Amino acid sequence: MKCLLPTILVALTAMPSYAFERMMRSDCQIGFEKLADIMQPNDPDIAAMSHGIRVTPQGWCEMRSGTAGLENAKFDTLEWRAEGITRWTRDGIPPLALEVRMTGLDPDEMQGGMNTGRPNVDVEVLLRQLPDAGMIVVERAVMANSAGDSMTVSGAFERVFLSSPSMMQVSMGSTAFKAGLLSMTLEGTHENPFGFGVDVEMQGVPQAQRDAAFDIISKLPDGVVDSASRAELTAYAGDLPKPVGTLEVSVSSVHGLGLMQVGMWMYNSLEAVMADDDGGSEMEILLHGITVEADWTPDAHVAD
C-alpha cells in the first residue's frame, strides 16, 4: 500500500499533542448547557440531561443512554474531554483541544430505521487548534464496528481564528480546507456498514451502486486525479457493494477550498440544472486547485 499522507498532515500530526486534564463535573455541565442553548434552545430535557452527567474514573465527561432526558437516545455512551475548557465555559470560544467518544450508534437507525442486522458503530474524534497558525487539525475521526470495518479521517483547515466571538464570525467566511486523508478498511460482510445516507432504493442493487460510483469517478477532472488514482478508484467501485480491503484517499488543496469556491459551485450547479446542462464545468469550479490521490488494496484472498 502506498503512503498517501499529505506533507502538511505529516508535519501537523508530528507536533506534540495537548495533555488533557481531568474534567470537573461543573465544567462538563456548564459546557454542555452552553452548547445545548445554541443547538436546542428551550429544550425542557436539557436540565435533566445535564444533571445526569458524570465524570468517569479516567476524567472524561460522560452521558449514558437511559438516564433522565436520554431515555430514547440513539447511542449507549457519549464521553468528551477538553483542554482549555474555560475558554468555552467562561469566554464562549472553543477550547484548544476536544476529544469525543460515542458508542453504540445503530447504522440502521442512522438510515431511517432499516433492518439489516449491521453491528453498532463506535465513533472517536480528536480536534485541536493551532491559534498562532490559524489552523484547526482533525487529528483523527474514527468509525469502527465489531465486524472489522473501520474508517479513519484526518485533515487540516486554515484561516481559522477563534480568539473571540467576533473573530469566529470572520472565520466563517475565511475558513478553508487544506488537506485530508481518508482510510477505510472493509471486511465485506455488511453493505454500507457505517450507515451513510445511501439512497434506500439503491440499497442491495449492486450494479446500480457500481454505475453510480463509475459516473462520479468519470466526472473528476484530469487535473484533479491522475490516471493511476482514477484506476484505483474504479477498481474499488467495481467491488461494490461489499468490497473487501483498504481504500486510502488523499486530498490536498493548493489555495484552500473555502466557502466562496463552494458557493460558486452551488450557484453554477443550480444554473446547470435549470438549463438542463450536464457539461461538468461545475465540478471543475469546485475542485479547482485540488489534487486527489487514491490507493485501493483488496484483501489478498479476494485479489487471488
Side-chain angles (χ1 to χ4, degrees), residues 42-61:
N42 304 317
D43 188 326
D45 292 327
I46 295 302
M49 287 190 282
S50 179
H51 182 73
I53 295 174
R54 63 183 290 268
V55 177
T56 70
Q58 295 76 31
W60 292 67
C61 306

Side-chain angles (χ1 to χ4, degrees), residues 260-282:
M260 182 67 72
Q261 193 168 338
V262 174
M264 284 295 296
W265 166 71
M266 295 178 65
Y267 174 77
N268 282 277
S269 296
L270 178 61
E271 281 201 331
V273 169
M274 295 177 65
D276 195 22
D277 178 19
D278 191 26
S281 61
E282 301 80 28

Side-chain angles (χ1 to χ4, degrees), residues 83-85 87-88 92-97 129 136 162-164 168:
E83 180 62 26
I85 187 61
R87 290 166 58 94
W88 174 245
I93 59 177
L96 294 173
Q129 59 167 304
I136 290 288
L162 307 176
S163 58
S164 68
M168 289 170 59

Side-chain angles (χ1 to χ4, degrees), residues 82-233:
E83 180 62 26
I85 187 61
T86 57
R87 290 166 58 94
W88 174 245
T89 58
R90 183 188 62 201
D91 304 326
I93 59 177
L96 294 173
L98 175 68
E99 190 168 13
V100 179
R101 300 190 302 205
M102 185 177 291
T103 64
L105 288 169
D106 187 344
D108 286 346
E109 288 291 339
M110 288 190 282
Q111 275 193 281
M114 301 177 68
N115 185 22
T116 66
R118 289 170 292 184
N120 285 351
V121 173
D122 296 337
V123 176
E124 181 177 350
V125 179
L126 173 57
L127 307 172
R128 64 184 169 109
Q129 59 167 304
L130 306 176
D132 293 341
M135 299 190 75
I136 290 288
V137 179
V138 182
E139 286 202 5
R140 65 177 182 275
V142 182
M143 299 183 72
N145 63 22
S146 59
D149 301 300
S150 66
M151 182 181 68
T152 303
V153 176
S154 58
F157 296 82
E158 60 182 4
R159 301 195 290 274
V160 187
F161 305 99
L162 307 176
S163 58
S164 68
S166 60
M167 289 303 296
M168 289 170 59
Q169 291 182 343
V170 171
S171 292
M172 292 179 64
S174 65
T175 299
F177 167 79
K178 186 61 178 176
L181 176 69
L182 177 146
S183 180
M184 186 163 55
T185 297
L186 299 169
E187 187 270 342
T189 299
H190 303 280
E191 182 178 338
N192 188 16
F194 306 116
F196 296 137
V198 177
D199 189 338
V200 175
E201 294 181 359
M202 190 182 294
Q203 189 85 10
V205 185
Q207 194 56 51
Q209 294 188 42
R210 289 192 285 268
D211 288 344
F214 291 149
D215 182 58
I216 293 173
I217 294 167
S218 69
K219 291 179 179 178
L220 293 173
D222 291 336
V224 171
V225 57
D226 61 23
S227 57
S229 290
R230 194 185 301 273
E232 296 287 331
L233 290 171

